[in-house]
């Protein structure tokens, strides 16, 4: 890494050697922290060094929040995924500091839910934006997300075929939500929309391809912050239903 990351790389190697000799102490973290703060390389260069020293990182991150914050300022969720192929502990340790997570495969969703269950003592306060697409995620999983991710502002659950109206009841616990996408939520009916009355601060709501009758829109009355409502493909909605929103 030349001058860009030589200190960080050398300090990581130093910690690894001390760990092998069972001499690693918390005081040794400060050397890695100093090197990391001075790191000016690219995310790819940082990943190269991380992959050389994976076994020390979970302990390092657990004890030093500044390391976690600095790493996640460099790395994307894809970067973390590439690391987690070698160590799930690393992902579980600091993935909860990301503000945005997009999950497009069942394996990704499973890892994410495992992380929520694994770290029971801490909520994912950093996470603001969560997107899950084409998953068999369940109503109970949504309840878990609602309880562990209290500061979510954006939530997308697209084509999640196992979800029912009950999941919307759990979603309604997320009082910070401003954006909600339930597109192609085929089990959602107007009874599910009734739960959304507990989220009057929603600014954008997408119900594309949902089965919805006119009466469902009556539950959106009083949503004074609602700027965008997408009802594309909701064939049962007529002008009469839209009159509830006028």
């Amino acid at each position: 890494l030349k001058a860009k990351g030589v200190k960080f790389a050398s300090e990581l190697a130093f910690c690894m050697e001390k760990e092998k000799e069972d001499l690693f102490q918390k005081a040794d973290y400060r050397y890695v922290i100093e090197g990391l703060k001075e790191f000016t390389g690219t995310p790819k260069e940082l990943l190269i060094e991380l992959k050389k020293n994976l076994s020390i990182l979970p302990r390092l991150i657990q004890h030093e929040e500044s390391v976690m914050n600095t790493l996640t300022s460099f790395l994307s969720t894809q970067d973390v995924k590439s690391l987690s192929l070698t160590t799930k502990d690393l992902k579980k340790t600091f993935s909860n500091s990301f503000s945005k997570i997009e999950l497009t495969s069942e394996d990704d969703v499973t890892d994410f839910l495992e992380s929520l269950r694994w770290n029971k003592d801490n909520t994912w306060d950093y996470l603001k934006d969560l997107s899950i697409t084409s998953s068999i995620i369940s109503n109970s999983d949504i309840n878990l997300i609602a309880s562990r991710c209290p500061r979510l502002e954006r939530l997308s659950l697209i084509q999640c075929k196992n979800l029912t109206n009950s999941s919307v009841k759990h979603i309604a616990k997320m009082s910070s939500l401003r954006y909600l996408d339930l597109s192609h939520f085929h089990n959602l009916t107007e009874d599910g929309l009734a739960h959304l009355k507990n989220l009057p601060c929603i600014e954008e709501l997408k119900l594309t391809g949902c089965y919805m009758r006119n009466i469902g829109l009556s539950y959106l009355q009083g949503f004074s912050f609602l700027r965008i409502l997408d009802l594309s493909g909701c064939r049962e909605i007529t002008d009469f239903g839209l009159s509830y929103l006028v």
Side-chain angles (χ1 to χ4, degrees):
L1 295 183
K2 299 181 181 179
K4 290 182 177 180
V6 64
K7 186 173 183 180
F8 175 60
S10 63
E11 297 303 348
L12 266 181
F14 167 75
C15 287
M16 285 289 291
E17 289 302 314
K18 296 200 72 172
E19 185 186 40
K20 290 176 183 177
E21 299 171 9
D22 202 25
L23 297 173
F24 189 81
Q25 299 178 11
K26 187 174 180 179
D28 295 320
Y29 293 137
R30 70 180 185 274
Y31 300 112
V32 180
I33 296 168
E34 290 172 2
L36 185 56
K37 287 180 179 178
E38 296 177 11
F39 185 82
T40 57
T42 66
K44 183 176 180 180
E45 290 169 331
L46 178 58
L47 278 173
I48 290 172
E49 293 307 315
L50 293 179
K51 288 179 179 180
K52 290 179 183 177
N53 302 279
L54 281 174
S55 64
I56 194 66
L57 284 175
R59 289 177 58 190
L60 178 65
I61 296 167
Q62 284 174 341
H63 287 84
E64 289 293 343
E65 185 177 355
S66 61
V67 172
M68 177 177 68
N69 292 340
T70 304
L71 286 177
T72 53
S73 69
F74 271 96
L75 305 179
S76 67
T77 51
Q78 285 299 110
D79 293 331
V80 174
K81 185 177 178 181
S82 71
L83 290 173
S84 69
L85 294 175
T86 308
T87 171
K88 283 191 173 182
D89 288 337
L90 180 60
K91 182 176 181 181
K92 289 178 179 178
T93 301
F94 74 93
S95 61
N96 63 331
S97 66
F98 286 105
S99 62
K100 181 177 181 179
I101 295 179
E102 297 180 7
L103 307 173
T104 57
S105 75
E106 213 57 58
D107 286 343
D108 288 343
V109 173
T110 299
D111 286 346
F112 173 68
L113 294 173
E114 284 181 359
S115 297
L116 291 183
R117 297 186 182 99
W118 177 81
N119 197 1
K120 296 179 180 179
D121 297 328
N122 297 307
T123 56
W124 287 42
D125 291 337
Y126 289 91
L127 187 58
K128 308 292 185 185
D129 188 338
L130 175 63
S131 176
I132 300 176
T133 303
S134 300
S135 171
I136 57 173
I137 192 170
S138 68
N139 293 332
S140 60
D141 294 331
I142 299 300
N143 188 30
L144 175 65
I145 292 171
S147 62
R148 310 291 291 119
C149 307
R151 298 188 180 179
L152 270 182
E153 297 177 0
R154 297 175 62 88
L155 177 63
S156 297
L157 299 170
I158 303 170
Q159 292 183 324
C160 296
K161 61 182 181 181
N162 287 348
L163 297 183
T164 68
N165 288 332
S166 296
S167 65
V168 185
K169 186 175 182 179
H170 301 314
I171 292 171
K173 300 174 186 176
M174 305 179 195
S175 58
S176 296
L177 279 184
R178 299 294 181 269
Y179 173 96
L180 180 60
D181 188 347
L182 301 177
S183 294
H184 305 288
F185 192 146
H186 296 306
N187 295 320
L188 177 67
T189 68
E190 55 272 11
D191 293 334
L193 276 188
H195 297 303
L196 292 182
K197 64 184 179 182
N198 295 320
L199 296 173
C201 293
I202 288 287
E203 298 175 3
E204 185 169 351
L205 178 61
K206 293 190 174 184
L207 301 172
T208 304
C210 293
Y211 176 77
M212 197 71 51
R213 294 182 298 178
N214 287 326
I215 190 64
L217 298 186
S218 67
Y219 297 115
L220 302 182
Q221 289 178 317
F223 277 47
S224 57
F225 292 96
L226 188 62
R227 299 180 294 103
I228 298 175
L229 175 62
D230 190 342
L231 298 171
S232 305
C234 298
R235 298 179 180 180
E236 300 295 319
I237 298 296
T238 67
D239 289 345
F240 177 77
L242 296 176
S243 68
Y244 285 115
L245 304 177
V246 176

